Amino acid sequence: MMPNRLEIEYLVSQTANTCGQPSQAEYEELEHCLLQSPRQIPSKYFYDARGSLLFEQICNLPEYYLTCTETEILESSAQVIAQLTGDCQIVELGSGSATKTRILLSAYSRLAGDRPLFYVPIDISDSILISSAKQLCQQYPTLTIHGLVSDYDMALASLPPSPAPRRLICFLGSTLGNFSPQQCDAFFERLALVLAPGDYFLIGIDCHKSTEVLVSAYNDSAQVTAQFNLNILHHLNQRFGTNFVPELFRHQAIYNSILQQIEMYLISQADQTILLPWLRQTLPIKTGEKILTEISRKFSPMDIKQQLQAKGLDLVMSFSDRQNWYSVLLFRRL
């Protein structure tokens, strides 16, 4: 039996997700987003330590069907997925607390017996990645973890070699919905380059459903999603030295039926002036002005199948809940 090992590699600064000095590219990205119409904030800034914890709370809310539905699907399909892919290195984009990953790891552990398991969790929040990795090492004696503190682009370009015969890249939680169509296509293009023939890709997607169900999921009665949304401003203040006052903004989530996506905004409740210290200038924001913080697109499995087939990935099997609210799709690189 291989001894338990844990390694954490930083592809970003150890303070990049708290209060460290941003890179020039990050300054330019935020400036570009804030000057758009409507103004925008990159959704990756949701995930400082507090934001990651708030998102874990969101996943347990009764209105937020996505997590429990995907969990139910994985619980019924994980053993089949493990048997279809065989021995592989599991790579997870946006691992978070790795709650659902445990379902997969347990299935692979049963299949492997005393053989080693290899897991590469990837998350921009080092605190939650380290915490979950330590717990997993205690839970799975044969598990070797190589964690990457990184965004998706850097991580896909810097994956450690796979000691297993093949690789399974997991992208769960319907995170794909946060990508615009152009970003989605670029992501699939990068993914196809990273996967070797015979490697696998497992993705969770939120499917089309009633507007009432969708809107309720992002406007929970406990207002945890509102706290999560407003926390992005705290993160910007710490990270970039801005002076946003979160109390002067209100959370709003709506469904755009034309684009088939949830849109999450922060709405200014007063005329205010935001300091952009790296530019030595200010940003005027008027009462009622909206800042877009996230989109969450909804899909059909057929759309994703066609998009990935065009990139050289073949659908092996799809798994859905009884209401067809959510799907988990397994693809294989040709």
Side-chain angles (χ1 to χ4, degrees), residues 1 79 82-83 86-88 104-118 142-143:
M1 183 180 295
Q79 203 64 41
Q83 291 169 350
D87 186 18
C88 61
L104 287 172
L105 287 174
S106 294
Y108 280 95
S109 179
R110 288 190 291 270
L111 195 68
D114 287 341
R115 294 198 311 272
L117 297 174
F118 302 98
T142 62
L143 185 62

Side-chain angles (χ1 to χ4, degrees), residues 94-309:
S95 56
S97 64
T99 302
K100 286 172 287 191
T101 314
R102 287 169 170 80
I103 303 171
L104 287 172
L105 287 174
S106 294
Y108 280 95
S109 179
R110 288 190 291 270
L111 195 68
D114 287 341
R115 294 198 311 272
L117 297 174
F118 302 98
Y119 176 49
V120 181
I122 297 162
D123 206 283
I124 197 64
S125 171
D126 60 348
S127 59
I128 199 161
L129 188 149
I130 293 170
S131 173
S132 62
K134 288 180 178 178
Q135 293 174 14
L136 289 173
C137 281
Q138 293 176 353
Q139 187 172 353
Y140 300 96
T142 62
L143 185 62
T144 293
I145 296 180
H146 186 129
L148 298 178
V149 181
S150 172
D151 61 26
Y152 303 148
D153 289 343
M154 286 188 288
L156 286 174
S158 307
L159 290 178
S162 174
R166 63 196 62 84
R167 179 177 276 154
L168 169 69
I169 296 182
C170 302
F171 197 39
L172 301 172
S174 191
T175 309
L176 185 73
N178 301 146
F179 295 175
S180 69
Q182 296 77 16
Q183 291 170 328
C184 182
D185 185 72
F187 170 73
F188 286 158
E189 192 73 38
R190 288 192 298 273
L191 186 75
L193 294 173
V194 170
L195 292 170
D199 284 348
Y200 290 88
F201 176 52
L202 186 70
I203 183 169
I205 59 167
D206 193 18
C207 301
H208 302 299
K209 58 185 65 64
S210 75
T211 300
E212 181 181 3
V213 172
L214 289 170
V215 172
S216 177
Y218 295 84
N219 291 283
D220 61 278
S221 58
Q223 299 187 359
V224 181
T225 308
Q227 296 177 52
F228 175 71
N229 199 8
L230 290 164
N231 185 69
I232 202 170
L233 301 178
H234 286 293
H235 192 185
L236 291 190
N237 289 346
Q238 292 177 337
R239 183 96 174 87
F240 293 91
T242 52
N243 65 335
F244 285 100
V245 180
E247 293 75 17
L248 294 181
F249 289 85
R250 176 174 60 84
H251 161 77
Q252 182 189 55
I254 63 170
Y255 180 64
N256 184 325
S257 59
I258 297 174
L259 298 179
Q260 297 184 314
Q261 64 188 27
I262 286 286
E263 295 171 358
M264 206 150 76
Y265 294 96
L266 290 171
I267 304 177
S268 178
Q269 301 300 288
D271 289 347
Q272 47 189 305
T273 301
I274 307 303
L275 178 65
L276 306 179
W278 69 95
L279 295 176
R280 297 184 180 178
Q281 68 181 52
T282 57
L283 182 74
I285 297 181
K286 297 179 180 179
T287 303
E289 190 169 350
K290 295 182 176 182
I291 302 177
L292 178 67
T293 55
E294 185 178 56
I295 62 169
S296 184
R297 296 167 60 217
K298 308 306 168 186
F299 305 97
S300 74
M302 183 58 67
D303 289 340
I304 301 301
K305 176 184 176 181
Q306 292 174 349
Q307 290 180 51
L308 283 170
Q309 278 184 333

